[in-house]
Amino acid sequence: MIKFETVLNAMDEGVLIVNDEIKIVYFNNAYGNFIGHTLEEVKGASLTDIRPGARMPEALKNGKPMEVVFREEKGEEYFANIYPIFDNGKLKGGVSTVTYLKNAKFIMDTLKELEKKQADLKERMRQTNGTRYVFKDIICESPKSIQCIEDARKLAKSDIPVLIHGESGCGKELYAQSIHNESLRSEYPFVAINCAALNSSILESELFGYEEGAFTGAKKNGKPGIFEIAEKGTIFLDEVSEMDYILQAKLLRVLQEKKIRRVGGTAEIDIDVRIICACNVDLLKYIEEKKFRKDLYYRISTFPLFLPPLRERREDIIPLMEKHLKVLGIQQKRELSISEEAKQALYVYDWPGNVRELNNVLEYSAVVCRNNEIGDSNLPPSVLPTIDKSNYKFRPLSEAIRIFEKEQIKQAMDIYGDTVEDKKNIAKKLGISLATLYNKLNN
């Protein structure tokens, strides 16, 4: 049978045993090498005489273990685990193990891996969009907008999945961020991803992450997905309707099991995130066309939130316009305003691109206007009222010429005067007789 001492001397970790008087009973070769003594030299000696800074007396006095006590001595970094020894409830001594960090390869590897993962997570968080919006940033003067805000605030207090319906440009992410910022998850990450912007394989690796060697070009040590990055926070899946049908099944499993598996990996990772989805299409129609899974639809649409298009909440158009003009004025360092005619033109326009289109129109108009007031002539032709050709009445050419000539003569009189001598001078400049001038003025 292998001797007790032989087993302990085979270890790289130091082992020390003391009695209830804190006198040395035994230590192995690794511990002896560390303190610079052999067991024969110090056996029976008080531990505090050999090692004045030892923590063993404290552990025995309290009668409680002291684990992972980090120390540095003689240039060596190590941690100790110290345990009191009891026999039938009576303290008999103590045992301590010393693990040197230079020998604890598994610990060092783990720490390095954690450091790399933390750095990767920080970099990913830096690259992802943070939140900028809260509910007070949403313009809501129309009854429909006010109702949307009330519904969204109720949703923020719960943790159920939300599906936001709305046309492109109507502010779906603004609502998603606001819901997150008023929820119990507000202190944790909000991560948004557009499902239509990435192909299926890339989207899968972005969502769930991947392990090293999972595919050609995969990063060394792998990469966490947004489900890991957004832990305890919120994930916003924009245009979820465009997600690949097979990937939808994987997403459904994640939502049901609350676990993910990285691409190329086998380990399952617990996740705790809230899902907010958005789409600008009729998902029920997509279900009929076999483009979207019915089971996933019912999983993500516990509470659907419908955002009305801008044309159905015209009371918001002028306030939205004024707010964005203030932003543009700050950016361009001038005080911008808009004429009543331009306001009216923008108010009656139907805005197929919603708030995003309104902001773009104002930015265009602010660039082309020569002064600080945007007039209707500064608006892009696309938003101006179109002419109904069927009802347009053309003026006879002779009448148009007569009106033009009369206007030209009046403009000349404003400049040169309207005395007889002035009119003679004007007639000469226009190349007509004075009598012809009078005829054109009177016709």
Side-chain angles (χ1 to χ4, degrees):
M1 184 175 181
I2 301 174
K3 292 183 179 181
F4 172 73
E5 293 85 351
T6 304
V7 173
L8 295 183
N9 285 328
M11 297 171 59
D12 286 331
E13 290 80 7
V15 179
L16 166 71
I17 300 174
V18 299
N19 62 19
D20 59 342
E21 296 178 349
I22 317 178
K23 292 183 178 181
I24 297 172
V25 174
Y26 173 83
F27 55 73
N28 65 355
N29 290 341
Y31 192 87
N33 292 336
F34 175 58
I35 65 173
H37 291 284
T38 64
L39 179 60
E40 290 74 17
E41 290 175 340
V42 295
K43 187 174 181 179
S46 173
L47 177 64
T48 54
D49 291 339
I50 306 301
R51 300 194 63 240
R55 301 289 297 276
M56 180 70 79
E58 181 181 347
L60 298 192
K61 180 180 179 181
N62 296 329
K64 294 180 180 180
M66 298 177 66
E67 297 179 311
V68 195
V69 179
F70 280 91
R71 306 291 298 273
E72 182 176 356
E73 191 173 337
K74 299 178 181 179
E76 290 271 19
E77 291 181 327
Y78 65 94
F79 66 87
N81 292 317
I82 308 168
Y83 304 94
I85 300 172
F86 291 93
D87 185 11
N88 293 323
K90 185 176 181 181
L91 181 68
K92 292 294 185 178
V95 59
S96 173
T97 62
V98 176
T99 302
Y100 310 104
L101 291 187
K102 67 179 181 181
N103 294 330
K105 186 177 184 303
F106 73 97
I107 295 177
M108 297 301 291
D109 290 344
T110 302
L111 289 174
K112 288 179 180 178
E113 180 64 27
L114 288 173
E115 288 175 358
K116 289 178 181 178
K117 184 175 181 180
Q118 184 180 35
D120 198 358
L121 287 172
K122 286 182 178 180
E123 178 62 17
R124 291 294 303 282
M125 282 304 298
R126 186 188 66 79
Q127 293 176 359
T128 52
N129 291 329
T131 59
R132 293 186 295 162
Y133 303 110
V134 292
F135 282 118
K136 69 178 181 180
D137 296 318
I138 302 176
I139 299 296
C140 56
E141 296 199 4
S142 71
K144 286 187 175 181
S145 295
I146 293 172
Q147 184 61 53
C148 272
I149 294 290
E150 291 178 359
D151 292 342
R153 284 187 183 277
K154 293 175 184 176
L155 289 171
K157 301 304 180 185
S158 71
D159 208 30
I160 61 176
V162 180
L163 177 60
I164 304 176
H165 294 265
E167 295 180 2
S168 179
C170 66
K172 295 186 286 296
E173 184 165 354
L174 189 152
Y175 271 83
Q177 290 189 17
S178 300
I179 290 171
H180 170 78
N181 282 328
E182 199 157 309
S183 74
L184 296 176
R185 297 178 179 268
S186 60
E187 295 182 1
Y188 298 96
F190 174 92
V191 186
I193 189 167
N194 190 312
C195 299
L198 303 171
N199 66 39
S200 177
S201 58
I202 295 178
L203 180 58
E204 182 179 6
S205 65
E206 286 295 309
L207 289 173
F208 309 131
Y210 58 81
E211 296 291 356
E212 181 177 344
F215 49 82
T216 302
K219 285 185 178 180
K220 187 178 181 181
N221 301 316
K223 182 180 179 181
I226 66 172
F227 272 94
E228 291 177 73
I229 293 171
E231 178 66 12
K232 297 186 184 300
T234 302
I235 291 177
F236 176 54
L237 300 177
D238 197 9
E239 296 194 67
V240 69
S241 56
E242 308 312 306
M243 182 181 290
D244 178 79
Y245 200 83
I246 296 175
L247 186 54
Q248 291 175 29
K250 295 180 180 180
L251 175 61
L252 176 63
R253 180 183 178 278
V254 169
L255 298 182
Q256 290 174 336
E257 304 296 329
K258 299 189 182 302
K259 296 176 184 292
I260 63 159
R261 185 182 298 161
R262 287 187 179 186
V263 176
T266 56
E268 291 198 324
I269 303 170
D270 293 329
I271 53 102
D272 175 19
V273 295
R274 183 186 194 177
I275 299 293
I276 299 179
C277 298
C279 67
N280 56 19
V281 299
D282 184 351
L283 276 183
L284 293 177
K285 185 177 180 182
Y286 266 43
I287 291 171
E288 291 178 4
E289 297 172 352
K290 305 298 182 183
K291 294 180 180 178
F292 202 81
R293 296 180 62 96
K294 182 186 289 188
D295 46 9
L296 178 59
Y297 171 77
Y298 288 114
R299 189 74 188 183
I300 65 175
S301 63
T302 305
F303 196 116
L305 182 66
F306 294 90
L307 304 187
L310 192 53
R311 62 184 173 276
E312 294 181 8
R313 50 185 179 101
R314 294 188 185 274
E315 299 92 331
D316 297 338
I317 293 176
I318 302 302
L320 282 166
M321 185 190 312
E322 292 173 345
K323 180 179 179 179
H324 196 59
L325 282 178
K326 288 182 180 179
V327 174
L328 291 175
I330 294 171
Q331 292 174 350
Q332 300 179 16
K333 298 181 180 179
R334 56 177 176 152
E335 191 171 340
L336 289 167
S337 61
I338 187 167
S339 70
E340 289 302 319
E341 294 79 10
K343 280 185 181 180
Q344 182 61 26
L346 297 182
Y347 184 84
V348 300
Y349 181 61
D350 270 349
W351 300 108
N354 294 290
V355 180
R356 185 182 295 121
E357 184 184 7
L358 173 61
N359 291 343
N360 290 342
V361 165
L362 292 174
E363 289 168 18
Y364 167 89
S365 303
V367 170
V368 300
C369 75
R370 293 184 178 180
N371 51 37
N372 292 338
E373 183 181 65
I374 296 173
D376 54 359
S377 62
N378 304 129
L379 300 176
S382 59
V383 303
L384 294 173
T386 56
I387 297 172
D388 186 352
K389 296 179 181 179
S390 62
N391 296 325
Y392 187 79
K393 296 180 179 180
F394 288 95
R395 181 181 285 124
L397 189 59
S398 59
E399 183 182 349
I401 293 172
R402 178 180 60 79
I403 293 174
F404 174 76
E405 289 178 338
K406 190 173 184 178
E407 288 296 324
Q408 287 293 100
I409 293 170
K410 285 183 177 180
Q411 287 181 20
M413 290 171 61
D414 290 338
I415 297 172
Y416 295 103
D418 61 353
T419 66
V420 175
E421 289 300 319
D422 293 332
K423 290 174 182 176
K424 286 180 180 180
N425 185 29
I426 292 169
K428 185 177 180 181
K429 289 181 179 295
L430 293 175
I432 59 176
S433 66
L434 181 61
T436 302
L437 184 145
Y438 277 112
N439 286 334
K440 292 183 182 297
L441 280 173
N442 294 327
N443 285 336

